[in-house]
Amino acid sequence: LAKQRRQLLVFAYSMFLLYREAGGVRSWILEKESLLATITATDEFADADVVERRFESFIPELETYEYRVEEVTDLGQQLIGKSHPKSDEIQEIIDEIAALWESLNDGVDDKRIELISTISLQQFKNSIQYCVNWIECKGKALMAIKSDEISNIDTKIRTVDLIEKELLLLHDKVGQLSVEVEKHLRLSPDEREAISDSVKKVLDQWGELNK
């Protein structure tokens, strides 16, 4: 009888330990899921860069905490292996923690894809704006040459030579936009019209500049 009573006490204490460890892990996972939901890229590239660094600093926490999940699983399996009278409940706890952990990691993977897509699109938009600004600037310079605002012939020649060199550089950048646009149209269907219009504007301006 004393041996049975001792065994029951051991089982009860072991269950207490499992409840405590599982509860701590559960709370931690739920807290990190809430935190993950707040990591969202904005329309500003600089802000998105900050968000990306914040996300990357979040990853090591998961990696260092994984051992706690494994400890809960190991403890639960040990108790089940010793024919603990609450083995069914223990298995439910193990399964719950495993499901929560998997859900958190899936959320991290989804967030990584979301941030990569958002930041890539912002970089693409920045490239579009750069091209628009450059084309408008060089267009004005060419107009100044044609309208004789620049009277010195040597200055005209130097200006044209410089613009032609820059045109060669921009040619590759405009070509890259034409290649990348399909990817962004596919990944960001909600912005399809805005993206298409922006790229069309660049290509139209580019065509006019090269006439």
Side-chain angles (χ1 to χ4, degrees):
L1 185 62
K3 185 177 181 180
Q4 289 179 342
R5 187 180 297 111
R6 183 177 180 281
Q7 185 61 52
L8 289 174
L9 288 174
V10 170
F11 279 152
Y13 180 68
S14 298
M15 201 65 190
F16 164 76
L17 291 178
L18 181 64
Y19 283 144
R20 186 183 66 184
E21 292 302 310
V25 170
R26 183 187 298 107
S27 297
W28 189 89
I29 292 175
L30 294 176
E31 176 187 339
K32 297 308 173 184
E33 282 188 335
S34 297
L35 177 61
L36 187 63
T38 68
I39 301 177
T40 305
T42 67
D43 292 333
E44 296 296 328
F45 181 73
D47 291 341
D49 194 44
V50 171
V51 170
E52 185 180 27
R53 289 198 299 271
R54 183 182 169 203
F55 173 76
E56 291 304 327
S57 68
F58 179 83
I59 305 303
E61 291 187 59
L62 268 67
E63 295 173 348
T64 57
Y65 200 82
E66 188 172 7
Y67 81 95
R68 292 288 305 276
V69 177
E70 294 173 350
E71 284 181 345
V72 170
T73 300
D74 290 344
L75 177 57
Q77 289 176 341
Q78 289 175 19
L79 295 179
I80 292 173
K82 294 178 181 178
S83 301
H84 194 288
K86 292 188 176 181
S87 290
D88 289 344
E89 181 183 350
I90 292 170
Q91 187 61 55
E92 289 177 359
I93 292 173
I94 293 174
D95 292 344
E96 179 198 8
I97 296 301
L100 287 172
W101 182 248
E102 181 179 5
S103 175
L104 178 59
N105 280 275
D106 287 346
V108 168
D109 291 340
D110 291 342
K111 183 64 67 175
R112 180 181 288 107
I113 293 171
E114 174 193 327
L115 291 177
I116 289 174
S117 176
T118 300
I119 292 172
S120 176
L121 178 59
Q122 289 168 341
Q123 290 172 332
F124 183 68
K125 289 179 177 179
N126 285 348
S127 294
I128 290 175
Q129 192 57 52
Y130 170 85
C131 289
V132 168
N133 293 342
W134 191 97
I135 291 170
E136 289 177 349
C137 176
K138 300 311 168 184
K140 290 177 181 178
L142 288 174
M143 287 297 295
I145 293 173
K146 292 177 181 178
S147 64
D148 290 332
E149 288 181 26
I150 301 176
S151 56
N152 186 286
I153 188 65
D154 290 334
T155 302
K156 281 187 176 183
I157 292 173
R158 286 196 300 271
T159 302
V160 171
D161 287 344
L162 178 61
I163 291 176
E164 286 180 345
K165 290 178 182 178
E166 292 178 334
L167 278 172
L168 291 175
L169 297 175
L170 191 65
H171 178 271
D172 293 337
K173 199 168 189 68
V174 172
Q176 189 62 33
L177 291 180
S178 299
V179 172
E180 291 184 8
V181 66
E182 293 301 324
K183 177 185 73 174
H184 292 293
L185 289 174
R186 185 178 67 256
L187 296 177
S188 306
D190 292 344
E191 299 201 44
R192 175 178 292 273
E193 184 176 354
I195 293 171
S196 297
D197 290 347
S198 297
V199 173
K200 184 178 183 301
K201 179 180 179 181
V202 171
L203 296 179
D204 288 347
Q205 290 181 327
W206 178 247
E208 287 293 322
L209 186 64
N210 283 276
K211 283 183 178 179

